[in-house]
Amino acid sequence: MEGRRAIGWAARDTSGLLSPYSFNLRKTGPEDVVLKVLYCGIDHTDLHQMRNEIPSTIYPLVPGHEVVGEIAESGSEVTKFRVGDKVGVGCIIGSCGECSSCKSNKENYCTNKIFTVNGTYQDGTPTHGGFSSAMVVHQKFVVRIPEKLAPEQAAPLLCAGVTAYSPLKQFFNGSNKVLRVGILGLGGVGHLGVIIAKAMGHHVSVISSSGNKKEEALEYLGADSFLVSSDSAEMEAAAGSLDYILDTVPALHNIQACLSLLKIEGRLVIVGASPQPLQFIASDLIIGKKTIGGSFIGSMEETEELLEFWAEKGLTTMIEVAKMDYVNKAFERMERNDVRYRFVLDVAGSKLE
């Protein structure tokens, strides 16, 4: 079907300000589903793309890659879903299907993947995200939302959640040993990292630049300890205490101080995409046989695992639900860290035009 119209909110230039935008959805194929968007999470990557801080942005840009929707229509060859199913869409809506990454269920590392936002379909048309009334997505890149998981609760798991889950999972692979984990940064990804790591049964230390979130981290999220990275005495006392650190900070920050917290052979895993280069002293890695690595979101398989894990454990995301006409204010507040801990847009309940 061609010519289906959608209403979204788009950025037109590097100011990043969003306003209503009408556009055509791409033609649907036999393995595509048409989603009515219900909710969509707000992520720091959206802001970077809206401002062309992760070049090169294609304007107009409709953000949103933590999308929860209801299937309104399905193609003739769709086997995984039925009309009316609640489903989720994350950061990726396409990949080549032929490379070693795709064939090993790691399509998030495919070099020809198609991003949900600021990507390009095979037919050359730009992709548009979940800050819109509807989307067309291939069934492979859609996941089912468990019945006992509220749709607005599921939204942050589709990017922020799986971004934390994927690296956490690799460390906990079948081991009964309690590892000591540091979560650097307590924003959207960080707070989910704390919840996931605790649900996996491990000791969690939150590392933050100030003590503002200490009570929340310890009392509401269940962290075991809280370190202020600017407090040299605290950092020195905790030196060599952590097996690894999950770095979730999406802005320029000091990773050098955190390396001292790692044990011998400890790892710092970066998942926050700072637009500026990060720095460290090489000898601090060499002497302790420490490593710095990265992890990019997660696979479709890991996303499904996380949703089931979350529902099975009865976990709760800490979100603030907002209407679409509040979206620019929400980005302002997110930028100054004034949200506990993730905005989710009530797209279906908003007047989009």
Side-chain angles (χ1 to χ4, degrees):
M1 176 178 178
E2 286 186 274
R4 185 189 295 265
R5 298 290 286 175
I7 303 294
W9 276 51
R12 268 70 170 196
D13 54 42
T14 56
S15 70
L17 290 176
L18 299 167
S19 58
Y21 172 63
S22 176
F23 61 97
N24 283 325
L25 296 174
R26 70 172 175 84
K27 181 180 178 180
T28 57
E31 289 196 70
D32 289 330
V33 295
V34 180
L35 308 182
K36 174 189 176 184
V37 177
L38 302 178
Y39 295 94
C40 190
I42 293 180
D43 184 79
H44 266 92
T45 304
D46 294 319
L47 187 62
H48 293 321
Q49 289 180 323
M50 286 153 51
R51 294 177 175 172
N52 197 33
E53 292 172 346
I54 303 178
S56 296
T57 296
I58 304 167
Y59 294 106
L61 176 88
V62 178
H65 57 266
E66 295 179 336
V67 189
V68 175
E70 180 179 307
I71 293 185
E73 182 183 316
S74 62
S76 59
E77 296 178 20
V78 172
T79 56
K80 290 177 63 178
F81 308 104
R82 295 182 298 178
V83 171
D85 284 350
K86 299 293 191 302
V87 296
V89 177
C91 299
I92 298 171
I93 53 173
S95 68
C96 77
E98 299 296 328
C99 68
S100 59
S101 294
C102 288
K103 289 182 177 180
S104 59
N105 293 322
K106 296 177 183 176
E107 60 285 322
N108 48 314
Y109 295 108
C110 172
T111 55
N112 292 309
K113 57 186 165 285
I114 302 173
F115 287 105
T116 305
V117 177
N118 204 43
T120 305
Y121 292 112
Q122 289 92 339
D123 64 5
T125 59
T127 63
H128 290 304
F131 290 16
S132 61
S133 57
M135 294 178 68
V136 176
V137 186
H138 190 283
Q139 65 172 343
K140 176 177 172 55
F141 296 91
V142 178
V143 293
R144 189 179 308 280
I145 304 297
E147 285 188 13
K148 55 185 176 180
L149 184 55
E152 66 272 22
Q153 281 280 313
L157 303 179
L158 298 167
C159 173
V162 75
T163 293
Y165 175 80
S166 181
L168 289 171
K169 173 191 168 185
Q170 66 176 298
F171 288 103
F172 299 151
N173 191 18
S175 172
N176 291 321
K177 179 185 176 184
V178 176
L179 297 178
R180 299 180 70 89
V181 180
I183 305 291
L184 178 58
L186 199 60
V189 177
H191 99 278
L192 294 173
V194 173
I195 295 169
I196 292 166
K198 285 300 298 179
M200 288 176 167
H202 293 277
H203 184 284
V204 179
S205 298
V206 171
I207 309 160
S208 186
S209 57
S210 76
N212 294 342
K213 297 179 181 178
K214 182 173 183 177
E215 182 179 350
E216 293 172 30
L218 298 177
E219 295 189 17
Y220 296 101
L221 297 177
D224 298 287
S225 67
F226 191 94
L227 295 171
V228 178
S229 58
S230 58
D231 187 323
S232 57
E234 275 192 15
M235 295 290 280
E236 188 173 337
S241 65
L242 302 178
D243 292 291
Y244 71 96
I245 295 169
L246 186 68
D247 181 350
T248 73
V249 180
L252 182 64
H253 60 287
N254 179 12
I255 63 171
Q256 181 63 39
C258 295
L259 293 176
S260 65
L261 299 175
L262 293 171
K263 297 178 181 178
I264 302 297
E265 296 188 332
R267 291 182 61 187
L268 173 71
V269 182
I270 297 173
V271 298
S274 168
Q276 292 90 30
L278 303 176
Q279 294 184 324
F280 63 92
I281 297 172
S283 60
D284 285 353
L285 294 184
I286 296 166
I287 293 170
K289 200 181 179 183
K290 301 171 184 179
T291 57
I292 297 175
S295 180
F296 180 61
I297 48 171
S299 66
M300 301 309 299
E301 185 176 70
E302 288 171 328
T303 305
E304 291 174 338
E305 284 176 12
L306 172 60
L307 290 168
E308 291 296 336
F309 176 85
W310 201 267
E312 179 188 330
K313 297 284 187 180
L315 305 176
T316 303
T317 52
M318 295 180 70
I319 59 174
E320 182 175 332
V321 179
K323 302 292 187 183
M324 188 64 80
D325 59 6
Y326 190 76
V327 67
N328 288 312
K329 180 68 174 177
F331 273 110
E332 286 178 20
R333 286 182 50 198
M334 183 188 72
E335 192 170 21
R336 62 175 185 262
N337 215 17
D338 179 25
V339 57
R340 300 293 189 270
Y341 283 91
R342 199 75 165 178
F343 277 113
V344 174
L345 294 174
D346 177 6
V347 178
S350 298
K351 183 179 179 180
L352 299 181
E353 297 184 76

